[in-house]
Amino acid sequence: MGSLPSAGSAADDEPPAVKTPRFVPADMAVLETIAIAFWAMLPAYVPNNAAVLAGGGRPIDGGRTWGDRRVLGDGKTWRGTAMGIVAGLALAAVLTVIEPSVGDALGFDLPEFTPFAAVGLAGGAMLGDILASFLKRRTGRQRGAMFPGLDQLDFVVVSLPLVALLDFDWFREWFTLEVLFVVVVLTPILHVTTNMIAYKLGLKNEPW
Ligand code: CTP
Ligand code: MG
């Protein structure tokens, strides 16, 4: 008992030792930025995966060609697109409802989605995917062919400007430069991983 050093006894002339916290504030800030980026992008990430699960039926281009190539191809269907958007909007609603409790548990605020932000993220993701198919067909790529870079970022490139257009205040509040940076780095990693899983599960024909 007497062997325990007690504060203020032996070393009164020494400054009190400063304990280094396990997470210094800078690390916390990085984790917070990653969490915000992931959460904010979830309504844009999910539509593509939902489209893979729900796709099929009538293609958007109705089989039409431009020159000797399909306008979009059989991989872009009305049902897949509609279900993708519905899934993204539903997820945005769920995240908005649970944000207070999740934010409380984590100790920082996460985005709650305004209707315009949700539409921009979910709709923009599907629109970006469709535009990517359009570009693939124009460059002579068959359905399912890969287009590195475009495949991984098509939904970011369209959804973020659309969100900024539809609800600039919300966009500016959440998509800081740091968050945008994380989105650009994180999105391709998540995209490659989820597509690989979908391929292994037999849900997707190609691993990209
Ligand atoms: N899908 C859909 N509607 C969409 C997007 C996807 O029905 N708007 C479905 C299709 O069944 C599609 C599958 O999800 O084949 C995989 O999506 P994706 O990889 O985006 O399409 P690809 O088949 O690779 O076609 P593309 O080369 O035009 O991208
Ligand atoms: Mg594909």
Side-chain angles (χ1 to χ4, degrees), residues 102-180:
V102 179
D104 251 13
L106 293 174
F108 53 85
D109 286 341
L110 291 162
E112 292 182 12
F113 298 91
T114 65
F116 279 128
V119 168
L121 288 164
M126 287 282 82
L127 196 59
D129 184 49
I130 290 168
L131 282 174
S133 286
F134 180 79
L135 290 177
K136 287 186 196 176
R137 299 303 94 82
R138 303 289 74 71
T139 53
R141 289 171 168 82
Q142 298 297 317
R143 173 188 181 183
M146 73 173 161
F147 199 149
L150 191 67
D151 276 328
Q152 287 76 38
L153 284 170
D154 52 15
F155 42 104
V156 178
V157 168
V158 177
S159 63
L160 291 191
L162 196 58
V163 172
L165 202 69
L166 292 173
D167 193 342
F168 189 65
D169 287 338
W170 187 89
F171 179 79
R172 206 178 41 179
E173 180 183 356
W174 292 107
F175 285 92
T176 59
L177 275 183
E178 290 87 347
V179 169
L180 284 172

Side-chain angles (χ1 to χ4, degrees), residues 9-195:
S9 59
D12 269 345
D13 47 344
E14 304 245 331
V18 179
K19 267 207 162 180
T20 314
R22 211 127 66 89
F23 287 115
V24 296
D27 288 339
M28 256 329 267
V30 170
L31 292 179
E32 190 175 327
T33 305
I34 293 171
I36 289 172
F38 180 67
W39 183 280
M41 286 304 289
L42 269 175
Y45 289 151
V46 158
N48 287 282
N49 299 298
V52 174
L53 296 178
R58 199 176 141 70
I60 294 173
D61 67 9
R64 276 184 285 272
T65 54
W66 184 2
D68 54 359
R69 293 181 184 126
R70 286 286 293 275
V71 177
L72 300 173
D74 286 333
K76 303 300 120 147
T77 67
W78 288 111
R79 194 169 78 207
T81 307
M83 293 309 284
I85 293 173
V86 166
L89 294 178
L91 183 63
V94 170
L95 293 177
T96 299
V97 169
I98 65 172
E99 190 283 327
S101 29
V102 179
D104 251 13
L106 293 174
F108 53 85
D109 286 341
L110 291 162
E112 292 182 12
F113 298 91
T114 65
F116 279 128
V119 168
L121 288 164
M126 287 282 82
L127 196 59
D129 184 49
I130 290 168
L131 282 174
S133 286
F134 180 79
L135 290 177
K136 287 186 196 176
R137 299 303 94 82
R138 303 289 74 71
T139 53
R141 289 171 168 82
Q142 298 297 317
R143 173 188 181 183
M146 73 173 161
F147 199 149
L150 191 67
D151 276 328
Q152 287 76 38
L153 284 170
D154 52 15
F155 42 104
V156 178
V157 168
V158 177
S159 63
L160 291 191
L162 196 58
V163 172
L165 202 69
L166 292 173
D167 193 342
F168 189 65
D169 287 338
W170 187 89
F171 179 79
R172 206 178 41 179
E173 180 183 356
W174 292 107
F175 285 92
T176 59
L177 275 183
E178 290 87 347
V179 169
L180 284 172
F181 176 78
V182 171
V183 167
V184 170
V185 174
L186 185 74
T187 302
I189 298 172
L190 284 171
H191 192 266
V192 168
T193 315
T194 53
N195 282 338

